[in-house]
Amino acid sequence: MEQTPVISARSLVKRYKDLTAVDGIHLNIMEGECFGFLGPNGAGKTTTMRMITCMSPVTEGELSVHGLSVQHSPREIKNMLGVVSQSDTLDPDLTVHQNLYAHSRYFNIPRSEAMHRIDEVLDFVHLSHKIKNTPDELSGGMRRRLLIARALLNKPKILVLDEPTTGLDPQSRHSVWDKLAVLKNEGITTLLTTHYMEEAAYLCDRLVVIDHGNILVQGTPSELVMEYVGNRVMEIHPPHNEKSTIVNSLRNNNVEFEDNGNSVSIYDTTDNFDAVNSITNGHSGNWRPANLEDLFLRLTGRALRDDS
């Protein structure tokens, strides 16, 4: 029996005056999966998430969440969502417990039930011992875990995470990943935007790479890396006066590569190892496993993007 998507987008468009931020994308997100949105700054990923969460109106196309139209049923959809925004929106004047209780009032959760849920979510994120502290007394990792706890108060069907671990140290980041992995195993559908490729590879069942408002590729992390990069990558840094000769030789031998300016990335997508070894002989470079960052850079380029 074919599974019905919990989130479905058809020819979805978002325009801001003369800017087309999302340009006719199609999406099907299934129940219980972690679905990632990757892309450079300004690619359209956060705009797509804002339309899904009914924070920004759709310009054209169709978008539904659990069968409900975002245009016609925003209140019902918002009640199904738990949102962890990129920005820290905790109230610095309230304690941990007060922050959570204030949030519960937005969902009209009865006081006795709210108290029970607050205990549950604080225990889940290991913050029960910080219940009387204010957010300013918490570490960055604790604050992010508190935001996740807050998003779980209404027992959401869909958890929306916009760059949930930005700015965290590796230990705090892995702590958040562990909590998100538990939620995924419990069947909560998760939407994730992130600039950490390791995070996407660890958490996402499927993902899209978006650029200039268009979906470039869609699939599982491992499938996409294998299809567009291969098993392995070699990066060499030849002298400037030799690079053009190497690049031409790679091209003439149908070797997949990327000219990065000061370096050349060679992709293991064909069975021509002998040719690659001959061409790169004398230039330091070792094969390493391909990863999502290789895929991301190959599809979207290495040029810096405006942070706006």
Side-chain angles (χ1 to χ4, degrees), residues 235 243 258-265 267 302:
E235 187 165 303
K243 196 186 78 171
E258 197 81 28
D259 185 347
N260 307 317
N262 292 324
S263 66
V264 178
S265 296
Y267 304 117
R302 293 174 180 254

Side-chain angles (χ1 to χ4, degrees), residues 229 231-235 265-267 286-290 294:
V229 182
N231 275 312
R232 303 180 298 172
V233 175
M234 178 193 291
E235 187 165 303
S265 296
I266 301 169
Y267 304 117
N286 296 309
W287 290 105
R288 59 164 175 80
D294 298 313

Side-chain angles (χ1 to χ4, degrees), residues 142-156:
M142 288 179 178
R143 292 171 73 106
R144 298 310 291 179
R145 281 161 30 214
L146 179 56
L147 288 168
I148 292 172
R150 189 179 68 176
L152 297 174
L153 270 179
N154 62 314
K155 295 187 175 180

Side-chain angles (χ1 to χ4, degrees), residues 47-65:
T47 300
T48 301
M49 296 270 265
R50 285 179 57 80
M51 288 189 284
I52 291 172
T53 56
C54 306
M55 298 297 292
S56 183
V58 171
T59 303
E60 292 177 14
E62 299 177 0
L63 177 59
S64 64
V65 179

Side-chain angles (χ1 to χ4, degrees), residues 20-205:
T20 301
V22 176
D23 193 10
I25 66 172
H26 300 270
L27 277 177
N28 281 324
I29 300 173
M30 313 311 287
E31 186 171 12
E33 74 175 337
C34 180
F35 193 93
F37 294 83
L38 305 183
N41 291 322
K45 56 189 186 298
T46 298
T47 300
T48 301
M49 296 270 265
R50 285 179 57 80
M51 288 189 284
I52 291 172
T53 56
C54 306
M55 298 297 292
S56 183
V58 171
T59 303
E60 292 177 14
E62 299 177 0
L63 177 59
S64 64
V65 179
H66 275 284
L68 299 175
S69 165
V70 296
Q71 290 98 326
H72 302 132
S73 305
R75 183 180 296 272
E76 293 87 342
I77 290 172
K78 287 181 179 180
N79 283 332
M80 301 180 189
L81 305 177
V83 179
V84 179
S85 62
Q86 183 179 349
S87 57
D88 186 334
T89 55
L90 297 167
D91 191 324
D93 297 323
L94 302 181
T95 66
V96 165
H97 188 279
Q98 289 168 340
N99 264 279
L100 296 180
Y101 182 69
H103 189 72
S104 74
R105 303 307 303 144
Y106 289 111
F107 297 93
N108 294 318
I109 302 171
R111 179 179 174 81
S112 59
E113 177 65 18
M115 295 302 174
H116 175 68
R117 293 190 190 182
I118 289 170
D119 288 341
E120 280 188 338
V121 296
L122 285 178
D123 181 63
F124 174 70
V125 298
H126 295 205
L127 286 177
S128 298
H129 62 299
K130 296 292 185 179
I131 196 167
K132 294 182 179 180
N133 291 88
T134 63
D136 288 343
E137 296 172 319
L138 304 180
S139 68
M142 288 179 178
R143 292 171 73 106
R144 298 310 291 179
R145 281 161 30 214
L146 179 56
L147 288 168
I148 292 172
R150 189 179 68 176
L152 297 174
L153 270 179
N154 62 314
K155 295 187 175 180
K157 294 181 179 179
I158 300 172
L159 186 62
V160 180
L161 307 162
D162 190 5
E163 300 187 26
T165 62
T166 295
L168 298 187
D169 59 60
Q171 290 85 356
S172 298
R173 189 177 306 140
H174 278 271
S175 177
V176 171
W177 292 357
D178 290 342
K179 298 306 175 189
L180 296 179
V182 171
L183 295 173
K184 185 175 76 170
N185 290 336
E186 292 178 352
I188 294 179
T189 305
T190 306
L191 309 184
L192 173 72
T193 69
T194 180
H195 284 300
Y196 295 116
M197 300 299 113
E198 184 185 0
E199 182 166 272
Y202 183 83
L203 293 173
C204 294
D205 299 298

